[in-house]
Amino acid sequence: MDSYRQEKVQKFEEFVDRRLKPDLTRAIAERDKVFEQQKIFSDLRKNIENLEKNSVTSLRTLVNLGSEVYMQADVPDTQHIFVDIGLGFHVEFTWSEALKFISQREDKIARQIDEYTRLIASIKAQIKLVCEGICELLQLPAETSVQEAIF
Amino acid sequence: MEVYRAQLTRVISGPVKLTDQDPLQRSNRINQSAMEEPTAKGTVTSLSSMFSVDDVQKAAKRVQDALLEKQQELERVKEFISDNTNLINLVQKLPEELHHGIMVPFGKAAFFPGRLIHTNEFMVLLGEGYYAERTSKQTVEILKRRGKVLDSQVDSLKAMMKDLQAEASFFDTTASEAAEGLVEIREEYGEENLSERASESGLLKQDSSRLSEADNLKDEDEEYARIMSRLDELEKEELAWEIENGSAESKQNNVAKSDNAKYGDEDNELEEAELAAETENRSDENKQNNAAGSDNENNEDEQANTVSDQFSNQISLDHNLRHSECTGLTVQAALEDAKPRTKSLATNVNVEANSAEKALVLPKEDNVATAPLSIQEISAQASKPEFDRYKAFTESIIEHNYNLQTDQQEQIRNTSKPSGSQSSKPVSRFKMQRK
């Protein structure tokens, strides 16, 4: 009986360490990527709104050639902007079109973030559940503080 | 034999691979061999007892991991270098045209169609948020300097990787050796081994010197015969002169030694005879002195050698003692030299005249007589420190008779050509001081 319990505990621990925890870190990494996307698009939206507000028609900027070496670049027409729509495709938009696309994109990104957050929460809950199960098998008093310290 | 064994044990003091299968049997055998040899003071430990195989393998794994990390870093740095060279090419190429049509990035997700203008103006980050406006050429220079830094980084990384590889291979071999059951034999380095060796080499030298002496012996015998015949000749001349002027000299003696008047006539006659004998001896000495003086120092030395060599056939130890002293005397100044030399020679002549039995006794007396003399000489010759030291040293090692011969030969060489044999002197001294 005791050896059976030991086996069970070991199995649960392995499940937590080899399955749930890697899943959790992967989900967090994915969500971070989506956060980055969100930031990029929000920046782009702000920039376009800025151009609109200042009614900029031509633009002079510095282009990074690599290794922090910059060169001046001239944009004669700022009305048309190419925006990355994913999978390596870029679509030529006017400012208003671009803003519309960006807001839609931001909504989608927000949904993705919510999804990932839920996934992360569920993984955390599973980990907690398995840990509680292990505690029960070992007939230890439920110890919540330790589990919260881990995550 | 002793020396041999010591050398052998030293040779095998590194890790030794034994082909035996049973480790217990192996260690037993080593213990036995250690018991058999009283000179071996080594300790035998198996490698696996010092490092466990698991530990060594773990260490090897860690080193391998570190190596992998370095490898990745190297890859990254190499990527930087390729980026840098690409950028240098780009910067060199850009000013060739007035402007280039490009897509100007606008954030990360968007861009505008545009063109590069002012193609010979670059803003280069110097670090810490400072930028400098440079031309294409200047930018290329900066980038090349950056490239050099990257190259040195690559070199250092490669060196580190080499070290790690060596470490890894060491751990691997250690692990395999520990698994095989290798033993390590350690022995404390002993001073006596060195001295034993030195004595052996000294013996060898002695042998060689004996050989050469045997060669010299014939020449010396001839020389000796020549000198003795010359002495006899001189003696005869002296006697003839004595017979002619005998009466006149005895009168002179009487006048000179007026105190002797208290003796009777008979006594006087006796004394006259004694005095005559004395003068004969003295003149003999003088004659010999002249003869010796006419020859050069080297010759004199050989004479001394030949005379003393005569005894060497009878008592080897005494021969050694005498020999060393005689050669020691040759380094004296000419005036000082004459006295003890002729004295010893005179005794030799006397010995020659006496029976062989007395010859056995006389050298010892001679030693007693000359020993204090040589000490005086040492003190008198403070102005010549090198010779002095050397002689003092010669005197001090008299009790080691087997080393003496080598030394003595060196000394002869020194007297014959003092400048040439400087190199051999310190070596022998060093060896002697170890005794």
Side-chain angles (χ1 to χ4, degrees):
Chain A
M1 188 64 202
D2 206 38
S3 68
Y4 172 76
R5 197 186 292 164
Q6 280 279 323
E7 223 173 84
K8 249 330 194 212
V9 167
Q10 202 178 345
K11 223 170 147 186
F12 286 163
E13 275 179 347
E14 251 174 40
F15 179 65
V16 170
D17 284 340
R18 300 230 176 133
R19 182 68 205 271
L20 295 178
K21 283 188 179 175
D23 273 2
L24 182 65
T25 49
R26 207 182 313 131
I28 289 170
E30 291 286 324
R31 197 177 60 165
D32 284 351
K33 258 187 221 163
V34 180
F35 270 131
E36 212 171 303
Q37 284 263 315
Q38 194 187 33
K39 191 180 180 302
I40 287 168
F41 276 101
S42 74
D43 280 355
L44 186 61
R45 190 168 52 86
K46 271 182 210 155
N47 279 329
I48 291 171
E49 278 168 2
N50 231 339
L51 288 176
E52 260 186 335
K53 212 198 294 173
N54 298 321
S55 57
V56 176
T57 50
S58 69
L59 184 73
R60 190 169 281 193
T61 180
L62 284 168
V63 179
N64 191 350
L65 302 174
S67 300
E68 306 298 311
V69 176
Y70 293 88
M71 189 180 259
Q72 289 178 50
D74 184 49
V75 180
D77 179 22
T78 55
Q79 298 297 320
H80 297 276
I81 186 168
F82 290 80
V83 180
D84 182 9
I85 57 164
L87 296 172
F89 286 98
H90 293 78
V91 178
E92 188 176 347
F93 286 128
T94 59
W95 288 349
S96 55
E97 282 168 343
L99 284 172
K100 229 158 108 188
F101 169 76
I102 287 166
S103 64
Q104 278 177 6
R105 188 69 198 257
E106 275 183 323
D107 282 352
K108 193 187 171 257
I109 286 169
R111 274 204 305 277
Q112 268 185 338
I113 286 170
D114 275 356
E115 212 175 290
Y116 274 117
T117 309
R118 265 202 299 278
L119 178 65
I120 287 164
S122 80
I123 291 169
K124 277 186 180 177
Q126 278 175 19
I127 289 170
K128 207 163 184 176
L129 182 74
V130 175
C131 285
E132 289 293 334
I134 290 166
C135 283
E136 222 175 273
L137 274 172
L138 292 174
Q139 289 169 335
L140 288 171
E143 212 175 311
T144 50
S145 62
V146 174
Q147 295 310 318
E148 262 157 37
I150 292 168
F151 301 105
Chain B
M1 195 57 210
E2 289 266 305
V3 179
Y4 245 84
R5 215 180 286 163
Q7 279 173 349
L8 263 172
T9 47
R10 202 183 313 159
V11 165
I12 59 161
S13 61
V16 183
K17 210 174 201 171
L18 293 175
T19 49
D20 257 14
Q21 290 302 314
D22 184 14
L24 204 88
Q25 197 184 330
R26 194 182 304 139
S27 60
N28 276 346
R29 183 192 287 183
I30 285 159
N31 283 338
Q32 272 175 8
S33 66
M35 296 269 274
E36 279 164 18
E37 289 180 47
T39 49
K41 294 168 284 190
T43 54
V44 179
T45 42
S46 73
L47 271 179
S48 51
S49 75
M50 283 193 283
F51 329 98
S52 80
V53 180
D54 283 352
D55 282 355
V56 173
Q57 273 169 354
K58 256 186 220 164
K61 177 128 190 2
R62 199 173 297 157
V63 171
Q64 286 289 354
D65 286 351
L67 199 65
L68 216 73
E69 211 172 279
K70 291 278 178 234
Q71 183 73 43
Q72 281 167 359
E73 207 178 323
L74 189 70
E75 294 295 323
R76 217 170 60 232
V77 173
K78 275 186 174 166
E79 211 172 288
F80 287 160
I81 287 173
S82 74
D83 280 357
N84 202 50
T85 47
N86 284 341
L87 186 60
I88 287 170
N89 288 336
L90 182 67
V91 168
Q92 276 172 334
K93 212 176 66 192
L94 278 175
E96 285 172 10
E97 306 228 6
L98 202 62
H99 43 75
H100 301 265
I102 55 154
M103 289 296 181
V104 181
F106 192 70
K108 274 183 182 170
F111 53 81
F112 294 114
R115 59 182 188 177
L116 287 173
I117 51 166
H118 303 297
T119 50
N120 202 21
E121 281 176 27
F122 295 88
M123 291 285 279
V124 186
L125 177 71
L126 302 175
E128 301 292 322
Y130 287 91
Y131 289 86
E133 205 169 49
R134 313 301 286 167
T135 65
S136 162
K137 250 187 185 174
Q138 288 166 331
T139 309
V140 167
E141 279 169 20
I142 290 171
L143 291 175
K144 277 184 176 167
R145 283 197 288 276
R146 284 186 190 171
K148 269 181 195 166
V149 172
L150 288 172
D151 283 343
S152 71
Q153 269 181 27
V154 166
D155 285 347
S156 69
L157 272 173
K158 275 183 177 167
M160 279 160 95
M161 277 171 73
K162 218 176 199 174
D163 283 356
L164 281 169
Q165 268 164 3
E167 213 174 310
S169 70
F170 169 74
F171 276 128
D172 281 346
T173 50
T174 310
S176 62
E177 279 169 358
E180 278 171 30
L182 225 73
V183 296
E184 190 183 79
I185 301 170
R186 272 174 194 274
E187 191 196 340
E188 290 297 315
Y189 172 72
E191 187 79 4
E192 61 203 282
N193 288 337
L194 203 86
S195 62
E196 272 171 25
R197 242 195 213 170
S199 73
E200 199 191 0
S201 64
L203 280 165
L204 282 172
K205 259 192 200 171
Q206 192 193 348
D207 285 349
S208 66
S209 73
R210 257 185 204 152
L211 276 172
S212 60
E213 236 173 84
D215 287 341
N216 289 337
L217 215 64
K218 272 183 195 170
D219 296 343
E220 280 170 2
D221 274 347
E222 280 171 22
E223 184 84 359
Y224 174 72
R226 201 173 57 78
I227 289 157
M228 285 319 288
S229 65
R230 170 81 176 139
L231 282 174
D232 285 345
E233 224 174 277
L234 287 167
E235 224 167 315
K236 273 174 195 164
E237 264 180 49
E238 199 70 31
L239 270 170
W241 187 78
E242 198 76 20
I243 289 157
E244 276 176 37
N245 305 323
S247 56
E249 210 190 32
S250 64
K251 271 175 193 170
Q252 273 181 356
N253 273 339
N254 274 339
V255 173
K257 304 206 171 187
S258 52
D259 322 350
N260 292 339
K262 59 184 173 186
Y263 292 110
D265 279 340
E266 289 165 16
D267 286 346
N268 238 353
E269 266 176 34
L270 270 170
E271 217 182 348
E272 258 180 39
E274 263 182 34
L275 274 167
E278 238 183 67
T279 36
E280 188 188 315
N281 254 346
R282 209 181 297 142
S283 55
D284 192 316
E285 270 178 31
N286 286 334
K287 275 278 158 64
Q288 209 194 319
N289 217 343
N290 288 338
S294 63
D295 291 336
N296 58 21
E297 284 269 295
N298 196 11
N299 232 344
E300 255 182 273
D301 185 35
E302 273 178 37
Q303 282 172 22
N305 283 343
T306 47
V307 172
S308 50
D309 271 341
Q310 188 75 8
F311 302 118
S312 77
N313 297 329
Q314 295 159 356
I315 314 159
S316 69
L317 183 69
D318 280 350
H319 154 77
N320 284 333
L321 291 169
R322 279 180 59 74
H323 211 117
S324 71
E325 273 158 18
C326 283
T327 46
L329 293 176
T330 55
V331 292
Q332 299 296 320
L335 262 173
E336 235 186 314
D337 183 44
K339 243 197 276 177
R341 165 154 306 287
T342 42
K343 197 176 178 185
S344 63
L345 271 175
T347 46
N348 288 340
V349 172
N350 284 338
V351 165
E352 195 55 34
N354 284 330
S355 65
E357 218 180 0
K358 210 169 181 183
L360 285 166
V361 187
L362 234 145
K364 280 174 191 165
E365 291 173 0
D366 199 47
N367 288 336
V368 174
T370 46
L373 245 176
S374 60
I375 291 159
Q376 280 174 2
E377 282 154 23
I378 290 157
S379 58
Q381 283 213 327
S383 57
K384 287 195 230 167
E386 222 173 88
F387 263 110
D388 188 28
R389 251 193 290 137
Y390 189 46
K391 216 192 317 162
F393 149 72
T394 312
E395 296 294 328
S396 69
I397 52 102
I398 274 172
E399 53 266 32
H400 307 282
N401 51 349
Y402 57 92
N403 277 321
L404 193 76
Q405 279 199 329
T406 9
D407 177 39
Q408 157 208 326
Q409 232 205 356
E410 269 169 34
Q411 219 174 7
I412 289 162
R413 254 187 282 134
N414 275 349
T415 46
S416 59
K417 39 165 191 167
S419 59
S421 58
Q422 288 287 334
S423 60
S424 67
K425 204 200 292 179
V427 178
S428 64
R429 269 186 67 199
F430 184 67
K431 267 185 202 160
M432 293 312 158
Q433 279 170 351
R434 287 195 165 276
K435 292 284 125 186

